[in-house]
Amino acid sequence: MDMKFARLGAIGQEKPVVIAQDANGPEKYFSLGPLTKDIDGGFLATDGIVRTREALIRGELPEIQPGELRIGSPVARPGSVVCIGLNYAAHAAESGATPPETPVVFLKPSNTVSGPFDATPIPPSSEKYDWEVELGIVIGREASYLSSTDEAAGCIAGYVVGNDLSERNYQMPGAAGQWTKGKSLPQSTPLGPWLVPADQLDAGSLGLRTWVNGEVRQSSDTSDMVFDIYTIVHHLSQYMLLEPGDVILTGTPEGVAMSGRFPYIQPGDVVELEVDGLGRQRQEYYRAQVAALAATGSADRT
């Protein structure tokens, strides 16, 4: 039985569901309410995926009709969003860099996570807002000082589609480079639509694609990664504690606007991204407005 995990509902009110499909049968939606309040680290750390499969077999989960409910990030707000840079040789080349000898690591704030179909703001002063389709790893058990890549494989709960939206002017204002500034903007990490368990696909050979207004921008395969997923998890565990529910974005292939071959995202643009077996995202972009200052005392704020 194949399963996909999702969170449905308005922002802040998402409910956990599992989408299950028997061989040649239709997809059906089931509430995870009897098992958990959310798809988070606690659920994953207590063998939530295994317990879900067992509950489905026993018929213990109520079937639901999703209707027109919003699809949120399939993982509740992670403790950490860890990112790998320049992990495809062709993308490194279009960025003016050579492929790294060890993984390039940076962090995104977890409050950047948003739903895969949410309308997405372009920062008010942004001129170079860029897309990045990525395979996302969801951690299922604590990982610290792992001894091998085999051990790393056992710490992966599943995979998601991620978009690491990046403002290039903020990211690279000269030699110093401020990746944190360019990667921390509100709603700059759409995830989903689903979390697919790790044992249901071969994440080492998945196609990744991006379209902007219907035109292909990125088309590659995870087999082209410089560092594979198990190497990434093992490497990160030597430098940080990975906890259940954390998300690792594994890098983007060539075809971003920073290459100079395409215009950056503009208001009204539609960006679609997909990874084989993990579903497709779609975001419509609009220009965020500078927040109005409060009427009292706001002029003195610094």
Side-chain angles (χ1 to χ4, degrees):
M1 177 183 297
D2 287 340
M3 300 186 300
K4 300 181 292 191
F5 291 81
R7 298 169 64 247
L8 307 181
I11 295 174
Q13 301 176 31
E14 296 92 343
K15 300 297 182 184
V17 303
V18 61
I19 307 164
Q21 185 176 26
D22 291 320
N24 302 318
E27 286 188 339
K28 295 182 179 180
Y29 287 69
F30 298 88
S31 170
L32 286 175
L35 296 181
T36 185
K37 292 183 178 179
D38 215 337
I39 301 171
D40 54 14
F43 171 71
L44 297 172
T46 55
D47 293 323
I49 291 175
V50 173
R51 292 189 291 114
T52 298
R53 183 172 280 113
E54 293 172 347
L56 285 169
I57 292 171
R58 293 193 296 264
E60 296 173 348
L61 301 180
E63 187 175 353
I64 63 170
Q65 299 299 321
E68 299 298 321
L69 288 174
R70 167 186 171 270
I71 300 175
S73 164
V75 184
R77 185 166 166 170
S80 295
V81 178
V82 187
C83 304
I84 306 299
L86 305 176
N87 198 30
Y88 290 77
H91 174 59
E94 73 178 0
S95 303
T98 57
E101 296 183 2
T102 59
V104 175
V105 180
F106 62 96
L107 302 175
K108 297 192 76 166
S110 61
N111 65 8
T112 62
V113 170
S114 60
F117 304 108
D118 293 346
T120 301
I122 302 171
S125 60
S126 170
E127 296 178 352
K128 294 183 177 181
Y129 212 38
D130 207 350
W131 59 84
E132 291 190 2
V133 64
E134 307 204 12
L135 171 68
I137 299 169
V138 181
I139 296 298
R141 62 183 61 183
E142 189 173 288
S144 180
Y145 302 120
L146 300 176
S147 62
S148 66
T149 54
D150 287 343
E151 192 176 5
C155 295
I156 298 174
Y159 303 99
V160 297
V161 182
N163 186 3
D164 176 20
L165 288 161
S166 308
E167 213 306 324
R168 304 303 188 185
N169 272 343
Y170 303 171
Q171 180 186 352
M172 295 176 289
Q178 294 290 316
W179 283 38
T180 296
K181 291 178 183 177
K183 302 280 190 172
S184 299
L185 297 154
Q187 294 180 242
S188 64
T189 317
L191 297 179
W194 315 304
L195 163 63
V196 176
D199 61 3
Q200 289 185 194
L201 47 76
D202 176 9
S205 183
L206 299 174
L208 307 90
R209 288 165 289 275
T210 301
W211 297 262
V212 178
N213 300 325
E215 297 182 357
V216 175
R217 294 290 185 260
Q218 295 180 282
S219 181
S220 188
D221 193 282
T222 58
S223 62
D224 292 332
M225 286 182 177
V226 178
F227 304 103
D228 66 67
I229 55 176
Y230 305 132
T231 298
I232 289 169
V233 174
H234 175 261
H235 179 83
L236 291 175
S237 79
Q238 310 307 307
Y239 301 96
M240 63 184 71
L241 172 64
L242 299 173
E243 297 181 313
D246 286 351
V247 174
I248 302 169
L249 297 181
T250 57
T252 197
E254 66 175 319
V256 297
M258 187 174 61
S259 68
R261 293 184 287 137
F262 311 112
Y264 288 94
I265 299 172
Q266 301 297 317
D269 282 351
V270 174
V271 177
E272 298 173 275
L273 314 94
E274 73 175 9
V275 178
D276 289 348
L278 300 177
R280 182 185 287 217
Q281 300 185 356
R282 183 183 189 275
Q283 294 112 36
E284 297 184 15
Y285 287 79
Y286 66 95
R287 178 72 67 179
Q289 301 299 311
V290 176
L293 297 177
T296 305
S298 58
D300 296 329
R301 294 178 185 170
T302 58

